[in-house]
Amino acid sequence: MYSPFGIDIEKSIEDSLDLQKKFVKGMENLLDVEVTDSDITPKDLVYSEDKMKLYHYKPLVKNPCKVPTLIVYALVNRQYMMDIQQDRSVIKNLLELGLDVYIMDWGYPTKEDMYLTMDDYINGYMNNAVEYIRKAEKIDQLNLLGVCQGGTFSAIYSSIYPEKIKNLVTMVTPIDFDTDDGLLFKWGKHLNIDNMVDTYGVLPGALMNSGYLLLKPFQLMLDKYVNLFENMDQRELVQNFMRMEKWIFDSPGQAGETLRQFVKDLYQENKLIKGTLEIGDKKVDLKNINMPVLNIYAQYDHLVPPSATIPLNDHISSTDKELCSFPVGHIGMYVSSKSQKQMSPKLAKWLMDRSK
């Protein structure tokens, strides 16, 4: 039956009822959804210092790799992105592939941490975590896997303490900040970081998050919610969405003095590449990185473009060095099916071959 305007009334009523059913089912999913399965791969707290915690994952194979791997995540966001859910867990994959894995949790800085510097994080917390592992495992060297800003910290650490690192893996890591690819790098060059740090002391995580959302406003603030509404009757999709939203907005504040140096010395003066960076009383020379290096980057990364990552291999003295890319974005490196099927096996094999 058609209306005088040519509208199929019967079909319109059916579509309206389907939409109502979908909406009701979606509301049931949203009200009933539980997101408690992140960061659940079994692990032990083995060392802590102030708000930093060092965890050791329980091995998932009988004879894991003899050289343990320490994962260092960025100060922004939380390290459990690497263990976001059991069927998309980079950590669980690496354990099943035979690695022995430790991970650092930086915690949530408060006002008392506003004066923490990059020296405190790298020569202090990182070095103390490395020393704990060396002593506990009775080894001279361990593998270091740095992610995003944690990769920058790991490259700096490896240049200061090369004798303690057997293999270095950097993942979606900014090294050369003299690039105009990516809005974050353009902002960083002109950011009045002194004003922000002097005002806040510890920059709120919500403020940092607002900036990241503005990097892709339509996709991150509109498209994904439209997509959720269109698929809200699918329980698994709603759970995945809520799990990611929980991680995205679980943003720690940033210790002001650390952020001040990171922005001024790296984004604005590119001192890491120029060889003029100093962390505490130690000069940082990337040429000191002489151990095997695997540099992994995402081809469609809007936060850390390939042009900021690739140059690492041109500034180190390692003879065993490899660039490896995957056709994913920054977050896709951890949670995409490509990551689970390709990146983790590649990373684990590369480390196992060099840890004998």
Side-chain angles (χ1 to χ4, degrees):
M1 182 174 66
Y2 288 87
S3 74
F5 302 103
I7 298 173
D8 187 335
I9 296 175
E10 187 174 345
K11 179 71 166 49
S12 296
I13 291 174
E14 288 177 359
D15 288 346
S16 178
L17 289 173
D18 287 344
L19 184 61
Q20 287 183 38
K21 290 178 183 175
K22 188 174 185 177
F23 183 74
V24 170
K25 181 63 178 175
M27 291 306 297
E28 289 177 359
N29 285 339
L30 285 172
L31 292 172
D32 191 41
V33 70
E34 292 185 6
V35 184
T36 58
D37 55 351
S38 293
D39 199 22
I40 63 170
T41 299
K43 60 184 182 302
D44 296 317
L45 174 64
V46 294
Y47 175 76
S48 64
E49 181 178 356
D50 300 331
K51 295 182 175 64
M52 185 276 287
K53 294 182 173 60
L54 176 66
Y55 292 98
H56 187 197
Y57 286 94
K58 295 184 181 299
L60 293 181
V61 296
K62 188 174 181 180
N63 296 305
C65 181
K66 293 178 180 177
V67 181
T69 298
L70 172 62
I71 297 178
V72 180
Y73 201 77
L75 299 177
V76 295
N77 292 119
R78 302 283 290 145
Q79 82 290 341
Y80 62 79
M81 170 51 71
M82 308 283 287
D83 190 28
I84 193 72
Q85 64 190 70
Q86 285 295 280
D87 61 344
R88 295 185 182 187
S89 170
V90 174
I91 299 288
K92 183 167 176 280
N93 269 349
L94 295 180
L95 291 168
E96 289 175 341
L97 289 164
L99 293 187
D100 181 14
V101 179
Y102 288 79
I103 195 166
M104 292 180 70
D105 176 354
W106 297 115
Y108 298 86
T110 58
K111 281 290 183 186
E112 65 183 6
D113 303 310
M114 61 189 292
Y115 296 114
L116 285 179
T117 62
M118 287 178 67
D119 182 31
D120 294 316
Y121 278 107
I122 296 172
N123 291 318
Y125 298 135
M126 266 187 81
N127 193 42
N128 293 341
V130 168
E131 285 303 308
Y132 172 86
I133 296 169
R134 286 179 3 131
K135 184 176 180 181
E137 302 280 354
K138 296 181 175 59
I139 55 173
D140 294 326
Q141 295 180 312
L142 52 82
N143 298 325
L144 194 57
L145 195 173
V147 179
C148 191
Q149 183 191 34
T152 312
F153 281 17
S154 296
I156 292 171
Y157 184 87
S158 299
S159 73
I160 297 174
Y161 305 98
E163 72 280 3
K164 300 181 183 181
I165 305 304
K166 185 154 183 76
N167 300 290
L168 171 65
V169 179
T170 56
M171 187 183 293
V172 291
T173 291
I175 296 292
D176 187 351
F177 291 75
D178 186 23
T179 176
D180 285 328
D181 293 344
L183 198 51
L184 186 60
F185 284 74
K186 293 180 180 177
W187 287 353
K189 289 181 176 59
H190 305 287
L191 191 66
N192 188 342
I193 191 64
D194 286 332
N195 193 19
M196 296 176 73
V197 172
D198 293 344
T199 300
Y200 287 103
V202 172
L203 268 74
L207 178 67
M208 302 287 292
N209 231 335
S210 298
Y212 290 125
L213 292 177
L214 288 173
L215 294 173
K216 296 179 89 173
F218 291 107
Q219 181 176 342
L220 299 178
M221 294 192 285
L222 182 62
D223 278 6
K224 68 176 182 180
Y225 296 110
V226 172
N227 186 56
L228 172 66
F229 184 78
E230 290 178 343
N231 299 282
M232 63 194 299
D233 57 331
Q234 300 177 41
R235 184 177 176 79
E236 185 177 348
L237 188 145
V238 172
Q239 283 185 317
N240 289 342
F241 179 88
M242 297 301 289
R243 195 177 289 113
M244 285 300 298
E245 288 293 281
K246 178 186 175 188
W247 175 81
I248 288 171
F249 291 102
D250 184 10
S251 303
Q254 297 298 297
E257 292 306 321
T258 293
L259 189 61
R260 191 197 306 268
Q261 184 180 8
F262 197 82
V263 170
K264 296 182 81 166
D265 283 2
L266 299 179
Y267 277 101
Q268 297 178 351
E269 298 187 41
N270 204 25
K271 288 185 176 180
L272 184 55
I273 285 293
K274 292 178 180 175
T276 56
L277 180 66
E278 293 184 6
I279 301 296
D281 61 353
K282 303 182 188 308
K283 291 200 67 171
V284 179
D285 185 352
L286 290 176
K287 288 294 183 189
N288 290 339
I289 297 179
N290 53 16
M291 69 290 299
V293 172
L294 176 62
N295 183 0
I296 301 174
Y297 67 96
Q299 295 172 12
Y300 308 122
D301 196 331
H302 74 290
L303 290 173
V304 182
S307 57
T309 298
I310 293 172
L312 171 66
N313 291 34
D314 297 327
H315 289 81
I316 57 180
S317 61
S318 310
T319 54
D320 182 0
K321 52 189 175 183
E322 182 176 346
L323 268 174
C324 181
S325 70
F326 294 92
V328 295
H330 193 80
I331 303 302
M333 186 61 80
Y334 321 115
V335 300
S336 70
S337 57
K338 285 189 179 67
S339 167
Q340 304 306 316
K341 294 176 182 175
Q342 299 176 19
M343 187 276 287
S344 296
K346 164 71 182 180
L347 193 163
K349 184 177 188 309
W350 190 91
L351 281 176
M352 299 278 277
D353 288 347
R354 290 161 178 78
S355 300
K356 296 174 180 174

